[in-house]
Amino acid sequence: MPGRMNSTEHLLVSLGDLAWDVLAKPDTLLLAGGDTTGRLELWGGGSAANAAVWAARAGARVAFTGKIGRDHFGELAVRELQEEGVAPHVIESDEHRTGVILGLIDRAGQRAMLTGQGADWELLPEELPESVLRRARHLHLTAWSLFRDPPRAAAVRAAQIAREAGATVSLDPSSFQMIQQLGRERFLDVLDQVPFDVLFPNDDEAQALSGLTAQDAVMDWLRERYPQALIALKLDARGSLIEGPTTPRTAVPATPDRVLDATGAGDAFGGAFLAQYLTHGDAVRAAECASQVGGWVVARFGARPPADDELRARLAPYLTAVAS
């Protein structure tokens, strides 16, 4: 996968959802008809957009494509991407508003998400920026683009365009609950339409895909089902498990960071991993960098907290390996 880039191509194009996260962490239990205090914040979000931002922060040249509303929130979301060094190629809708996601954060920092069906769910194949996709070396998708149609046909077509142009493809399964709602067999049929080279399930998503619970059995199932793909299984506090056609099964530890808010940690892991892996092809080293980034994220509020000196220090040993 590593190789030289010309000035017109992106190392990575991320396609899918660009939205706003409304994050709420109550101080006490929420009771029907009651009131309480807590922490409320508004952040740029969307799984695909988050991955794009983290790949850019980890040194990659990145573009994002997706659909937003022609509204104030859409303008702000695009501006945030630009400020992060992500090149936006967005489609604006007059019929649908920019998406909003509500995240409820519990005392342990784990989140439950309520995803509104905004413009990001309405992307059509004919709206794809084909020239951008054909110049990419890699396309990243999330299953939020696959759970219904639209935008499923657009995501599948984007993967086909990228693959025809010689790019590789990655996929994040995104939501165990949405996999269960669609139905395991139906979702697996959809996945078979996407020619991915890297898969980023978390533990719950891998169990939903495989129908199994034991970690090694789950990994065995994934490797048998997708023998040509690199699997990066995200295990939260247990780190990650990496295995692929040329990478033996390897456990990569998590950092000891205390979890404040797990929102977007998986997106951060995927973005940082891709920025590294697409440059040098060392999946284990890429996962070590991704673990550092994921640990930094969970210790803060939101999916894209402002970068600080600690984040820059964690990334420094890896950034010299990333193509500019």
Side-chain angles (χ1 to χ4, degrees):
M1 288 188 181
R4 296 182 64 85
M5 297 173 59
N6 64 49
S7 59
T8 63
E9 70 180 357
H10 296 286
L11 177 67
L12 166 67
V13 173
S14 187
L15 180 147
D17 48 333
L18 173 60
W20 284 92
D21 289 345
V22 179
L23 300 179
K25 189 171 186 178
D27 292 329
T28 58
L29 290 177
L30 294 174
L31 302 177
D35 299 277
T36 189
T37 56
R39 184 171 181 177
L40 280 167
E41 294 199 22
L42 180 67
W43 293 90
S47 182
N50 292 340
V53 167
W54 280 105
R57 287 184 176 186
R61 185 183 298 164
V62 185
F64 170 85
T65 186
K67 197 167 187 176
I68 59 172
R70 196 185 305 273
D71 51 38
H72 185 56
F73 278 125
E75 293 176 4
L76 290 175
V78 169
R79 188 182 307 165
E80 281 203 351
L81 290 185
Q82 293 172 321
E83 291 172 351
E84 292 282 358
V86 176
H89 298 273
V90 298
I91 298 89
E92 294 183 326
S93 172
D94 292 314
E95 299 178 11
H96 305 92
R97 300 190 65 79
T98 299
V100 177
I101 302 167
L102 172 63
L104 293 173
I105 316 300
D106 66 18
R107 292 183 181 180
Q110 296 304 311
R111 88 291 185 279
M113 310 296 282
L114 176 61
T115 300
Q117 297 182 6
D120 49 311
W121 290 76
E122 304 298 332
L123 183 65
L124 302 174
E126 59 268 26
E127 296 173 323
L128 293 170
E130 292 198 15
S131 63
V132 174
L133 295 171
R134 294 188 187 281
R135 294 198 305 271
R137 281 183 45 205
H138 184 87
L139 173 68
H140 179 66
L141 301 172
T142 76
W144 290 110
S145 295
L146 300 176
F147 290 133
R148 57 160 249 195
D149 192 22
R152 184 185 302 137
V156 171
R157 177 58 184 149
Q160 294 169 345
I161 292 170
R163 179 53 62 86
E164 289 167 1
T168 50
V169 179
S170 57
L171 175 69
D172 189 323
S174 301
S175 169
F176 79 91
Q177 186 173 357
M178 293 294 288
I179 293 171
Q180 292 172 343
Q181 288 178 208
L182 184 61
R184 174 175 175 264
E185 292 300 328
R186 174 62 180 136
F187 186 70
L188 291 175
D189 288 342
V190 171
L191 282 195
D192 288 341
Q193 301 175 47
V194 181
F196 59 82
D197 304 275
V198 184
L199 186 68
F200 290 108
N202 66 23
D203 198 17
D204 290 333
E205 293 154 5
Q207 291 183 34
L209 288 172
S210 66
L212 303 170
T213 55
Q215 180 179 298
D216 284 338
V218 168
M219 196 63 158
D220 289 343
W221 184 93
L222 290 169
R223 292 295 303 124
E224 182 177 354
R225 174 87 185 195
Y226 307 110
Q228 301 306 313
L230 173 68
I231 309 297
L233 178 59
K234 299 171 291 187
L235 299 169
D236 296 328
R238 291 174 290 147
S240 60
L241 200 59
I242 311 298
E243 186 176 0
T246 61
T247 303
R249 189 170 302 183
T250 305
V252 176
T255 64
D257 296 275
R258 178 177 174 273
V259 177
L260 172 67
D261 173 16
T263 304
D267 303 330
F269 182 99
F273 182 98
L274 289 172
Q276 286 283 304
Y277 181 62
L278 295 172
T279 302
H280 53 60
D282 186 334
V284 174
R285 181 167 173 79
E288 291 169 351
C289 175
S291 290
Q292 289 294 324
V293 169
W296 183 89
V297 172
V298 299
R300 288 156 179 81
F301 212 64
R304 304 184 218 154
D308 59 14
D309 289 342
E310 181 183 339
L311 176 63
R312 286 185 279 271
R314 292 191 185 201
L315 284 172
Y318 304 97
L319 287 181
T320 55
V322 178
S324 60

